[in-house]
């Protein structure tokens, strides 16, 4: 071939390559961040917040939304440094049809911006990434929960679960089903840190047992060989998940080198890493085609029951404390009535009363409470941040409260930054006045004591029923253990041996060795929270 022909051929080849590049840039609506190679682009997305002014559930949509497309919904979870962000972008690139030869990589996240300018960092606790590609019959929804296991403490994780509730129950943009829950971890991982244990169990405690087979693992920094260490860690931790034909946890291998600078001498290794990721993505999406998706309804039930048992136990503690003070007061009065009036000149006793006070020095999601104005009780005091008004509160079912004494209609409730506090005061009267007031009420006092004892047991039984019900539907019940520490001693006082045995069995299961990391971190978080609250 002549030099002129060779030059012409090179020119045509360059033009073809240039046209291909321009086609991709024009085809994918994106902004160039780095010319590469590979060229790094950020997809231009339409952004909004599902939860309105709270701005904690962000929704970033790429492409024109098409409800007729088959949509796959994936929840992504992983510790910082495991490669979760790159995995999200890898899925998006697979959907876009990007190949190694294109020398391009697109990201829907803002990791580069966050690295250079913290003021531009993502403020939402949950981000929902949606991708609609015209040529692809499948669309993708990825739910990212970056805040789990953060240093802010247990309160922060509870806030994230609150926002997941909002996401799953939103009428317009809510998520109705899940195709996969993906835990991202390194293929070389030979042990789980307490933080990782905690993250796993935090997420698992959100879901119903029906999601088990949809749980899988995306293993990063893989060399393509069997990830023996990671699989052994998963098995030892007892993480419920789907199993493959070899009875191994369902897992896929990735290397996370897609953005690495292309140098000719290393292109073979980079191409092999890309090919491994492509093959894993093919297998991953093929598995999703098996239509194993699950409705989030059972998960919503778990989330609601978790809040209901929390509210119930909190209310129960207040009412039992009030009952115990009332019992002490009535017992003291009974004893005084049986004694000789000559022994007394004046009689002093302590009585309990309620007062509504402002809520101060609390986290944002604890600054309002749902209270019953009839029963004068705090029906939902903690983590009651999502309700627009009392009718929306998690403790309401069929328009009535499931927590307050009389199960009042939601219209009898108020939601404000005030709550009821139980206080005591001393009353001193002459013994003659005391006798006049109470002597004729001896039978009534005995009856009141019996009623209080009966109500106490009913409250304990209700809390027991909610606890066992939650354990039956939740994938992981480690986080009901604090409630058991309260309920077991109280039921032992009532002589309820069978109930006590059942709760002790639940406690034993929750304290198994595989849950130790999560429990240790949960305990340390609670201690940190106690310290912060005393500062």
């Amino acid at each position: 071939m002549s030099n002129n022909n060779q030059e012409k051929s090179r020119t045509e080849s360059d033009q073809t390559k240039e046209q291909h590049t321009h086609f991709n840039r024009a085809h994918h609506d994106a902004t160039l961040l780095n010319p590469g190679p590979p060229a790094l682009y950020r997809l231009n997305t339409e952004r909004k917040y599902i939860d309105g002014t709270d701005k904690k559930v962000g929704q970033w949509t790429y492409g024109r939304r098409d409800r007729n497309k088959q949509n796959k919904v994936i929840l992504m979870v992983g510790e910082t440094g495991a490669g979760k962000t790159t995995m999200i972008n890898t899925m998006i690139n697979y959907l876009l049809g990007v190949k190694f030869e294109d020398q391009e990589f697109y990201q829907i996240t803002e990791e580069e911006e966050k690295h250079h300018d913290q003021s531009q960092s993502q403020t939402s606790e949950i981000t929902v990434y949606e991708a609609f590609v015209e040529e692809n019959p499948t669309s993708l929804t990825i739910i990212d929960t970056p805040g789990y296991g953060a240093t802010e403490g247990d309160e922060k994780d509870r806030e994230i679960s609150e926002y997941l509730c909002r996401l799953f129950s939103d009428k317009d943009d809510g998520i109705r089903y899940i195709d996969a829950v993906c835990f991202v971890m390194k293929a070389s991982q030979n042990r789980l840190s307490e933080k990782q244990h905690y993250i796993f169990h935090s997420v698992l405690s959100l879901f119903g047992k029906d999601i088990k087979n949809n749980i899988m693992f995306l293993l990063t920094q893989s060399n393509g060989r069997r990830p023996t260490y990671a699989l052994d860690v998963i098995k030892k931790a007892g993480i419920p998940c789907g199993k493959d034909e070899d009875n191994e946890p369902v897992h896929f291998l990735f290397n996370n080198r897609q953005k690495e600078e292309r140098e000719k001498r290393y292109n073979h290794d980079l191409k092999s890493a890309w090919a491994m990721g492509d093959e894993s993505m093919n297998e991953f999406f093929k598995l999703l085609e098996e239509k194993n998706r699950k409705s989030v309804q059972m998960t919503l039930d778990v989330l609601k029951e978790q809040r209901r048992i929390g509210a119930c136990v909190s209310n129960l503690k207040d009412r039992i404390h009030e009952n115990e003070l009332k019992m002490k007061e009535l017992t003291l009065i009974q004893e005084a009535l049986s004694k000789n009036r000559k022994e007394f000149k004046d009689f002093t006793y302590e009585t309990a009363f309620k007062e509504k006070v402002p809520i101060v020095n609390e986290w944002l999601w604890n600054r309002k409470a749902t209270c019953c104005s009839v029963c004068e009780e705090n029906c939902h005091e903690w983590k009651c941040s999502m309700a627009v008004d009392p009718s929306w509160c998690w403790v309401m079912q069929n328009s009535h409260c499931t927590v307050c004494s009389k199960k009042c209609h939601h219209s009898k409730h108020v939601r404000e930054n005030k709550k009821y506090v139980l206080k005591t005061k001393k009353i001193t009267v002459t013994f003659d006045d005391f006798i006049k007031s109470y002597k004729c009420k001896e039978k009534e006092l005995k009856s009141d004591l019996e009623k209080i004892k009966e109500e106490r047991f009913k409250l304990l039984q209700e809390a027991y029923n909610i606890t066992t019900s939650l354990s039956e539907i939740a994938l992981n019940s480690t986080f009901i253990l604090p409630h058991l520490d309260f309920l077991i001693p109280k039921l032992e006082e009532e002589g309820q041996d069978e109930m006590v045995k059942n709760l002790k069995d639940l406690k034993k299961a929750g304290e198994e060795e595989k849950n130790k990391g999560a429990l240790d971190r949960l305990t340390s978080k609670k201690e940190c929270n106690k310290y912060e609250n005393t500062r």
Side-chain angles (χ1 to χ4, degrees):
M1 183 181 292
S2 67
N3 287 339
N4 288 339
N5 288 338
Q6 287 179 344
E7 186 64 32
K8 182 179 179 182
S9 177
R10 276 199 298 270
T11 301
E12 289 176 348
S13 176
D14 290 342
Q15 287 176 345
T16 302
K17 183 178 179 181
E18 187 176 350
Q19 288 171 357
H20 175 73
T21 302
H22 281 310
F23 171 76
N24 278 345
R25 290 178 186 174
H27 183 60
H28 302 313
D29 182 12
T31 301
L32 180 66
L33 298 177
N34 190 316
L40 179 62
Y41 294 91
R42 189 189 68 239
L43 294 173
N44 296 324
T45 55
E46 178 189 338
R47 304 181 186 185
K48 69 175 185 178
Y49 293 96
I50 294 177
D51 56 332
T53 57
D54 286 339
K55 294 187 176 181
K56 294 298 184 179
V57 184
Q59 185 181 59
W60 298 5
T61 303
Y62 173 74
R64 185 176 296 175
R65 182 179 274 104
D66 186 348
R67 301 293 187 186
N68 295 320
K69 282 183 180 289
Q70 182 187 49
N71 187 52
K72 299 299 178 184
V73 181
I74 299 159
L75 179 72
M76 298 281 277
V77 184
E79 188 178 21
T80 302
K84 176 165 62 70
T85 299
T86 302
M87 282 306 315
I88 291 172
N89 291 320
T90 299
M91 287 186 179
I92 297 297
N93 278 265
Y94 179 83
L95 198 72
L96 293 171
V98 179
K99 303 299 180 186
F100 180 80
E101 293 75 17
D102 296 332
Q103 298 201 60
E104 297 173 343
F105 190 73
Y106 294 82
Q107 60 185 46
I108 198 169
T109 62
E110 283 191 343
E111 55 192 300
E112 293 297 322
E113 287 185 69
K114 285 194 287 183
H115 176 73
H116 293 296
D117 184 358
Q118 289 297 320
S119 67
Q120 296 296 319
S121 64
Q122 166 185 324
T123 58
S124 56
E125 302 299 343
I126 295 172
T127 305
V128 180
Y129 299 104
E130 293 184 317
F132 297 88
V133 181
E134 190 174 341
E135 292 78 16
N136 200 317
T138 300
S139 62
L140 191 60
T141 297
I142 301 174
I143 307 168
D144 184 24
T145 54
Y148 259 118
T151 57
E152 288 90 339
D154 178 50
E155 296 284 354
K156 189 72 170 178
D157 297 327
R158 291 182 182 274
E159 182 186 18
I160 293 172
S161 69
E162 289 282 347
Y163 287 116
L164 278 174
C165 284
R166 174 71 63 87
L167 176 61
F168 292 154
S169 56
D170 188 274
K171 293 181 180 179
D172 297 321
D173 298 298
I175 301 297
R176 301 288 177 262
Y177 56 85
I178 295 265
D179 289 283
V181 176
C182 297
F183 287 106
V184 181
M185 58 187 289
K186 296 177 183 178
S188 59
Q189 190 102 30
N190 58 15
R191 63 178 291 275
L192 290 182
S193 65
E194 286 184 4
K195 181 177 179 180
Q196 284 174 311
H197 269 289
Y198 179 82
I199 291 172
F200 283 143
H201 288 285
S202 292
V203 175
L204 293 175
S205 68
L206 300 176
F207 290 101
K209 290 181 177 179
D210 63 336
I211 206 80
K212 174 182 175 181
N213 290 329
N214 297 68
I215 295 173
M216 52 197 73
F217 298 87
L218 307 181
L219 305 181
T220 62
Q221 300 183 13
S222 169
N223 58 11
R225 297 178 182 175
R226 184 181 187 278
T228 303
Y229 289 134
L231 294 179
D232 287 348
V233 163
I234 294 166
K235 293 174 186 176
K236 184 178 179 180
I239 301 169
C241 60
K243 298 294 178 67
D244 61 20
E245 61 274 9
D246 298 319
N247 202 34
E248 299 274 26
V250 173
H251 63 282
F252 303 92
L253 305 180
F254 300 90
N255 193 278
N256 285 32
R257 298 175 67 188
Q258 294 92 331
K259 295 191 299 182
E260 194 170 313
E261 186 178 351
R262 303 277 173 89
E263 294 183 43
K264 188 174 180 181
R265 63 189 297 184
Y266 303 121
N267 262 10
H268 177 74
D269 288 342
L270 293 174
K271 188 173 183 178
S272 296
W274 187 289
M276 178 177 67
D278 251 6
E279 183 179 349
S280 290
M281 279 298 171
N282 280 325
E283 293 175 357
F284 176 74
F285 277 92
K286 184 179 178 181
L287 184 63
L288 296 188
E289 288 297 326
E290 295 180 5
K291 302 184 187 305
N292 191 34
R293 67 175 37 164
K294 292 292 185 294
S295 166
V296 297
Q297 186 55 55
M298 184 177 284
T299 294
L300 268 177
D301 290 342
V302 169
L303 292 168
K304 288 177 181 178
E305 286 300 283
Q306 284 181 342
R307 274 140 196 79
R308 204 157 74 88
I309 188 177
C312 179
V313 170
S314 178
N315 177 277
L316 176 65
K317 288 178 180 178
D318 289 345
R319 287 157 71 182
I320 285 178
H321 184 212
E322 182 182 7
N323 283 0
E324 287 173 346
L325 287 176
K326 191 67 176 176
M327 286 176 67
K328 182 179 178 181
E329 176 187 341
L330 294 180
T331 301
L332 184 64
I333 290 172
Q334 274 193 319
E335 290 175 353
L337 288 171
S338 64
K339 293 182 178 179
N340 192 322
R341 70 176 65 187
K342 292 180 181 179
E343 296 180 22
F344 296 94
K345 181 178 179 182
D346 294 330
F347 179 66
T348 300
Y349 62 98
E350 197 170 56
T351 187
F353 68 99
K354 289 177 182 176
E355 184 178 324
K356 207 167 192 183
V357 300
I359 298 172
V360 295
N361 299 325
E362 280 293 351
W363 293 78
L364 177 64
W365 46 93
N366 287 337
R367 290 178 188 170
K368 287 190 176 182
T370 298
C371 302
C372 180
S373 55
V374 175
C375 303
E376 295 189 344
E377 293 173 9
N378 303 318
C379 302
H380 195 182
E381 180 180 352
W382 306 107
K383 289 84 185 177
C384 189
S385 61
M386 296 301 175
V388 176
D389 59 57
S391 66
W392 286 52
C393 187
W394 289 113
V395 300
M396 300 295 168
Q397 286 185 359
N398 299 321
S399 299
H400 287 77
C401 182
T402 60
V403 173
C404 64
S405 300
K406 298 180 180 178
K407 306 296 184 277
C408 300
H409 190 268
H410 67 74
S411 62
K412 304 298 182 183
H413 293 70
V414 292
R415 186 173 180 272
E416 58 184 348
N417 64 334
K418 292 182 179 180
K419 64 179 180 180
Y420 289 102
V421 173
L422 188 65
K423 297 184 177 183
T424 59
K425 62 181 178 182
K426 289 185 177 180
I427 296 177
T428 300
V429 295
T430 65
F431 197 71
D432 286 338
D433 288 341
F434 169 73
I435 289 293
K436 289 176 184 178
S437 298
Y438 288 97
K439 189 65 178 175
C440 60
K441 297 181 180 179
E442 281 190 85
K443 290 184 179 180
E444 187 178 329
L445 289 173
K446 291 179 181 179
S447 176
D448 287 346
L449 276 172
E450 290 303 316
K451 286 178 181 178
I452 289 172
K453 290 177 182 178
E454 288 176 10
E455 183 185 3
R456 183 176 187 270
F457 174 65
K458 285 180 181 178
L459 294 173
L460 289 169
Q461 190 171 39
E462 184 177 353
Y464 169 83
N465 290 338
I466 296 174
T467 304
T468 53
S469 173
L470 179 59
S471 69
E472 288 172 2
I473 63 173
L475 187 60
N476 180 284
S477 54
T478 301
F479 293 84
I480 66 171
L481 293 180
H483 302 314
L484 301 184
D485 290 337
F486 169 75
L487 289 173
I488 289 174
K490 294 297 181 183
L491 286 169
E492 283 178 331
E493 292 173 13
E494 296 287 338
Q496 298 299 315
D497 296 339
E498 186 175 350
M499 288 184 181
V500 169
K501 179 182 180 304
N502 291 338
L503 293 187
K504 283 185 174 180
D505 287 343
L506 277 179
K507 185 177 172 68
K508 184 178 179 181
E511 291 176 340
E512 288 178 1
E513 182 65 27
K514 65 182 182 181
N515 298 330
K516 186 177 185 301
L519 291 173
D520 289 346
R521 185 169 175 83
L522 183 62
T523 301
S524 66
K525 279 179 173 248
K526 287 186 180 299
E527 291 304 316
C528 286
N529 289 341
K530 286 179 183 178
Y531 171 72
E532 288 297 327
N533 289 336
T534 58
R535 291 178 66 181

